[in-house]
């Protein structure tokens, strides 16, 4: 399949553009998504192409416009709501958790809520505690929601197209440190990546690192370092937390005998705990050491760089954990 | 890279012709002379501080983003001059001006903005989270509308403690569309809480003109529906702000309940430093800088009414500039926090 290089954010906007062209029920709503193209430039050109009927600048009213998205999704539209910083999802929690996630089930399957909420996540820009959170586990914990976490431009495009076509509410997490990452994306218009399919981003035999979103890059860099020391690491990217491709993860761990799970959210009660537990349940007899996990420190993200950086997982910590796990 | 901000030098001087009027004393001043001096000094402090923040940001000396208050100085200063030290305010992402006006110190603010241990929040908060509980600054806020609950809660606290402290919530035109405004202002009105809601209508929320996303022209009109008094004030006129807030404070302190004041204002700079401002015209911004510079309006008033000579005002301005530059040096020299401090301050 022919491919082109593009930025992560361009992959996002291309996915939205194609889906808006393909399906007139798809529309975009969010703060500054219109003429200004979104603060992370993910919506550039969409207002010009589709006009104010389908690209709506929302007031600063997250509960309000997410609520509107739920209602529109229940009545034949397919909204994409951009939440700018994912932290602002917390202002719309009732709409997402009490309404979007439950309305189909509560009404005995009478309706569906095909909406996508895009949120920028993650630390690393000195944005401090209210603009840096990684809230994926909170949403993955809510039955009725789906959670996608792309780690490359290719996955961003394929997964976002799936999200938009999905008949359920999807939380789509974009690490803001990746928006300007470059990568190859297939040419084909209909390139989609189904939910619930993990990808082995690097195959290896000595240990498995399961990593999400920007932590995949961290895991791959750690794998390169460990290769210099003779360790052959496999990196598995679940790509969606809900649904979770348990099979690919478990079979990797059965092969390598070691598992480390890395996610950028605070470590306690997070996605790393869930994935580690599943590995424990399904691959216990194959493990040569306890499953380990790395998340951010259990702290609000501090502002000042010397405080911020040590609190988020990095290559050094991953390398050290892999070595500690083997007692080397 | 953007040009050095206009207004980066001192505000334009009075023309010689107008200066003559200083001899004809007006029958009464709109505020006592020493209050005028104080307000002039504070507004200059904010202007000069923000110009330095622009510089510090542009030179890469601060992490994160910087939302400048230049052009809106009269709102914070007119308001806070009507407050006591023990009154409360909540501020916003564009909070440097509020904090300085309420008694925040230049050096500790600059240190915080630079992420230093000597900063107000020990480097944990940065530009958007400056707080000084000792002078009633309950915090700037990274969440648009984040101050409504806190300010109204502080007003409730005053009432429950039988204190006469009042509480001011600064918020933007953008924040006025958050649902929590309705919830909290309703409670303040229902329970006659000593709260004052100051809407800084600078006509944009980030890149979006407020008219495009707001059903009313005047946000003060919403007051009627919520059961409190709504007032519209020229936010470039510090004396008008001072006057309105004084009335609101008197009412709040004596159990008369909350007031909503909408200050019509304008941010002279972009949403944050580095914003290309494609959403508004140069002419529009220039009109405000020329006709509605709050510092110039006040200094004109002071000169016209014989309260000050332009040279005296200039001398103050230069003195404040030195203080601000000292604060920059203080911030630059202050050490960064050691990494282990990340683990402090989480639980009480
Ligand atoms: C809940 C929330 N939504 C969105 C943002 C992003 N944001 C930061 S400032 C801003 C505009 C705020 O506009 P306004 O309230 O008018 O204040 P101004 O910047 O004009 O002073 C936006 C949308 C945020 N910080 N918090
Ligand atoms: Mg505004």
């Amino acid at each position: 399949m022919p491919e082109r290089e593009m930025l992560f954010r361009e992959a996002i906007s291309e996915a939205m553009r194609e889906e808006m062209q393909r399906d007139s029920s798809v529309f975009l709503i969010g703060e500054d998504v219109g003429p200004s193209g979104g603060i992370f430039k993910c919506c550039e050109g969409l207002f010009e192409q589709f006009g104010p009927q389908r690209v709506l600048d929302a007031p600063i009213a997250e509960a309000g416009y997410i609520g509107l998205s739920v209602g529109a999704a229940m009545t034949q539209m397919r909204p994409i709501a951009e939440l700018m910083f994912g932290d602002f999802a917390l202002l719309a929690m009732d709409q997402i958790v009490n309404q979007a996630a439950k309305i189909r089930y509560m009404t005995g399957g009478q309706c569906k809520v095909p909406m996508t909420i895009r949120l920028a996540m993650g630390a690393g820009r000195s944005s401090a505690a209210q603009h840096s959170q990684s809230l994926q586990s909170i949403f993955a914990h809510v039955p009725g929601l789906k959670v996608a976490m792309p780690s490359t431009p290719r996955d961003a495009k394929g997964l976002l197209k799936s999200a938009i076509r999905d008949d359920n509410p999807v939380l789509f997490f974009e690490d803001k440190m990746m928006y300007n990452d470059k990568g190859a994306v297939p040419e084909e218009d209909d390139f989609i990546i189904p939910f619930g399919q993990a990808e082995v981003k690097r195959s290896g035999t000595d240990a498995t690192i399961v990593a999400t979103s920007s932590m995949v890059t961290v895991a791959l860099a750690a794998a390169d370092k460990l290769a210099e020391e003779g360790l052959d690491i496999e990196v598995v990217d679940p790509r969606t937390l809900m649904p979770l491709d348990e099979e690919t993860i478990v079979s990797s761990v059965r092969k390598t005998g070691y598992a480390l799970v890395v996610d950028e959210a605070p470590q306690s009660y997070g996605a790393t705990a869930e994935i580690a537990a599943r590995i424990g349940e399904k691959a216990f007899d194959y493990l040569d050491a306890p499953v380990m996990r790395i998340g951010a420190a259990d702290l609000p993200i501090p502002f000042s760089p010397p405080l911020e950086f040590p609190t988020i997982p990095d290559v050094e910590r991953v390398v050290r954990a892999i070595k500690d796990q083997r007692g080397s | 890279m953007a040009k050095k901000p206009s207004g980066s030098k001192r505000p334009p001087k009075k023309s010689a012709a107008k200066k003559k009027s200083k001899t004809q004393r007006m029958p009464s001043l709109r505020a006592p002379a020493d209050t005028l001096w104080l307000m002039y000094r504070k507004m200059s402090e904010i202007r000069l501080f923000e110009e330095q923040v622009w510089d510090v940001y542009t030179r890469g000396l601060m992490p994160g983003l910087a939302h400048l208050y230049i052009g809106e100085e009269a709102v914070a200063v007119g308001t806070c001059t009507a407050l006591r030290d023990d009154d409360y305010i909540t501020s916003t992402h564009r909070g440097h001006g509020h904090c300085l006006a309420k008694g925040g110190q230049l050096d500790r603010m600059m240190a915080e903005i630079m992420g230093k241990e000597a900063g107000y929040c020990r480097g944990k908060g940065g530009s958007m989270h400056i707080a000084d509980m000792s002078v009633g600054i309950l915090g700037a806020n990274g969440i648009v509308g984040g101050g409504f609950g806190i300010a109204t809660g502080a007003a409730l606290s005053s009432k429950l403690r039988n204190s006469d402290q009042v509480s001011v919530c600064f918020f933007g035109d953008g924040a006025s569309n958050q649902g929590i405004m309705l919830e909290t202002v309703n409670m303040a009105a229902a329970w006659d809480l000593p709260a004052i809601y100051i809407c800084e209508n600078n006509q944009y929320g980030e890149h979006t003109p407020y008219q495009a996303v707001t059903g009313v022209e005047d946000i003060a009109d919403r007051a009627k529906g919520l059961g409190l008094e709504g007032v519209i004030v020229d936010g470039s006129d510090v004396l008008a702000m001072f006057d309105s807030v004084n009335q609101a404070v008197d009412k709040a302190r004596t159990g008369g309940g909350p007031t909503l004041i909408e200050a019509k204002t304008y941010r002279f700079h972009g949403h944050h430093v580095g914003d290309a401002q494609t959403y508004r015209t140069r002419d529009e911004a220039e009109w405000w800088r020329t006709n509605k510079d709050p510092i110039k309006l006040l200094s004109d008033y002071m000169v016209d009414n014989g309260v000050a000579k332009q040279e005296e005002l200039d001398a103050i301005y230069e003195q404040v500039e030195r203080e601000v530059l000292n604060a920059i040096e203080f911030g630059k020299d202050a050490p960064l926090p050691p990494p282990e401090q990340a683990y402090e301050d989480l639980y009480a």
Side-chain angles (χ1 to χ4, degrees), chain A residues 45-313:
Chain A
L46 297 178
F47 180 84
E48 289 71 15
Q49 184 170 350
F50 298 103
Q53 291 275 30
R54 293 183 68 198
V55 181
L56 283 78
D57 265 334
I60 308 170
E62 288 80 7
Y65 74 83
I66 297 291
L68 261 58
S69 299
V70 178
M74 290 168 65
T75 52
Q76 286 138 55
M77 299 302 285
R78 222 167 248 282
I80 307 169
E82 178 180 294
L83 267 175
M84 202 181 265
F85 289 84
D87 311 66
F88 311 154
L90 299 171
L91 285 84
M93 249 1 211
D94 171 59
Q95 300 307 313
I96 301 171
V97 177
N98 283 326
Q99 313 300 338
K102 297 179 172 56
I103 196 97
R104 173 179 169 80
Y105 185 82
M106 286 188 306
T107 58
Q110 289 184 63
C111 64
K112 50 189 191 178
V113 186
M115 64 187 277
T116 302
I117 301 176
R118 296 183 32 245
L119 354 75
M121 62 169 284
R125 284 166 51 114
S126 298
S127 303
Q130 294 173 337
H131 287 72
S132 303
Q133 295 172 86
S134 299
L135 298 168
Q136 56 271 24
S137 315
I138 292 178
F139 295 102
H141 189 62
V142 176
L145 302 178
K146 295 188 178 182
V147 175
M149 300 193 69
S151 68
T152 63
R154 181 178 192 277
D155 290 357
K157 181 163 179 202
L159 290 169
L160 184 52
K161 286 169 72 87
S162 279
I164 296 167
R165 294 183 196 188
D166 201 291
D167 280 339
N168 300 284
V170 176
L171 282 288
F172 192 87
F173 285 89
E174 303 162 8
D175 192 305
K176 55 178 92 74
M177 300 304 285
M178 301 196 305
Y179 278 129
N180 289 322
D181 285 2
K182 235 184 188 163
V185 176
E187 291 268 8
E188 177 205 352
D189 247 17
D190 235 23
F191 165 69
I192 64 159
I193 297 175
F195 279 17
Q197 288 188 7
E199 187 176 55
V200 176
K201 294 274 179 223
R202 182 189 209 278
S203 56
T205 51
D206 293 334
T208 299
I209 303 177
V210 183
T212 63
S213 185
S214 63
M215 293 298 115
V216 173
T217 311
V218 170
L220 290 170
D224 284 345
K225 281 207 163 175
L226 290 159
E228 291 165 18
E229 303 181 28
L231 282 175
D232 186 16
I233 307 295
E234 179 146 304
V235 176
V236 180
D237 175 0
R239 302 199 290 196
T240 53
L241 287 183
M242 176 61 223
L244 182 68
D245 178 358
E246 198 177 273
E247 207 177 294
T248 303
I249 296 169
V250 167
S251 65
S252 171
V253 176
R254 286 184 177 179
K255 177 176 75 176
T256 62
Y258 289 91
L260 170 69
V261 191
V262 192
D263 177 75
E264 203 193 307
Q267 185 166 315
S268 295
Y269 298 94
T272 57
E274 177 65 27
I275 295 171
R278 303 246 197 144
I279 295 170
E281 285 161 8
K282 302 277 165 64
F284 183 75
D285 290 336
Y286 299 80
L287 288 171
D288 293 319
V291 182
M292 289 182 72
R293 53 206 174 99
I294 297 181
D298 290 329
L299 294 170
I301 305 291
F303 166 72
S304 190
L307 302 179
E308 179 180 26
F309 286 109
T311 64
I312 43 188

Side-chain angles (χ1 to χ4, degrees), chain B residues 28-309:
Chain B
S28 76
L29 291 168
R30 290 168 66 197
D34 54 345
T35 307
L36 296 176
W37 280 105
L38 194 94
M39 294 197 284
Y40 175 77
R41 193 174 210 296
K42 267 296 164 209
M43 290 207 289
S44 306
E45 199 174 293
I46 296 170
R47 173 74 50 98
L48 288 158
F49 184 85
E50 293 292 62
E51 283 168 1
Q52 287 302 318
V53 172
W54 186 93
D55 194 53
V56 158
Y57 182 93
T58 315
R59 287 195 286 151
L61 294 175
M62 64 168 284
L65 288 179
H67 306 85
L68 302 184
Y69 196 65
I70 292 176
E72 306 185 31
E73 294 91 343
V75 183
V77 171
T79 300
C80 292
T81 307
L83 299 179
R84 295 194 316 231
D85 253 11
D86 67 341
D87 289 328
Y88 300 112
I89 67 163
T90 59
S91 171
T92 68
H93 57 285
R94 196 177 305 289
H96 305 161
H98 309 137
C99 295
L100 285 170
K102 189 64 173 62
Q105 304 296 309
L106 291 165
D107 50 359
R108 293 191 65 198
M109 280 183 53
M110 189 51 78
E112 185 58 36
I113 288 169
M114 293 181 174
K116 302 302 182 70
E117 188 185 348
Y120 269 118
C121 313
R122 310 176 75 207
K124 291 200 171 74
S127 164
M128 276 197 291
H129 300 286
I130 292 171
D132 182 354
M133 306 292 163
S134 72
V135 291
I137 303 169
L138 301 179
N141 215 303
I143 297 298
V144 171
F148 281 110
I150 296 169
T152 311
L156 174 64
S157 164
S158 297
K159 185 166 178 160
L160 296 178
R161 288 183 285 107
N162 290 316
S163 153
D164 68 349
Q165 290 159 287
V166 305
S167 188
V168 166
C169 175
F170 288 104
F171 65 104
D173 49 284
S176 78
N177 290 323
Q178 287 285 22
I180 191 165
M181 177 180 176
L182 188 148
E183 300 185 24
T184 56
V185 177
N186 172 58
M187 282 187 271
W191 300 336
D192 287 334
L193 300 182
I196 299 161
Y197 299 93
I198 309 266
C199 179
E200 302 182 303
N201 187 349
N202 62 12
Q203 308 175 49
Y204 293 88
E206 270 186 13
H207 308 166
T208 302
Y210 87 102
Q211 291 101 332
V213 290
T214 310
V216 283
E217 174 68 26
D218 299 317
I219 288 154
D221 281 355
R222 292 197 183 146
K224 187 161 189 289
L226 286 163
L228 74 168
E229 189 189 347
V231 186
I232 297 173
V233 181
D234 176 351
S236 305
D237 180 352
V238 70
L239 297 169
M241 280 306 303
F242 180 60
D243 190 43
S244 293
V245 177
N246 259 328
Q247 291 177 34
V249 166
D250 285 347
K251 182 166 86 176
R253 275 207 214 293
T254 52
T259 308
L260 169 60
I261 296 173
E262 177 182 4
K264 303 284 191 187
T265 181
Y266 198 80
R267 55 167 159 75
F268 289 3
H269 285 260
H271 174 60
H272 51 65
V273 182
D275 169 6
Q277 301 178 61
T278 51
Y279 48 84
R280 66 186 195 186
T281 64
R282 261 173 218 280
D283 286 354
E284 178 188 292
E286 203 40 51
W287 185 88
W288 280 85
R289 285 196 199 99
T290 311
N291 297 294
K292 286 290 186 180
D293 182 327
I295 302 184
K296 179 169 185 323
L297 293 175
L298 177 63
S299 47
D300 284 1
Y301 178 82
M302 291 171 74
V303 171
D304 288 348
N305 287 280
V307 177
K309 296 195 184 71

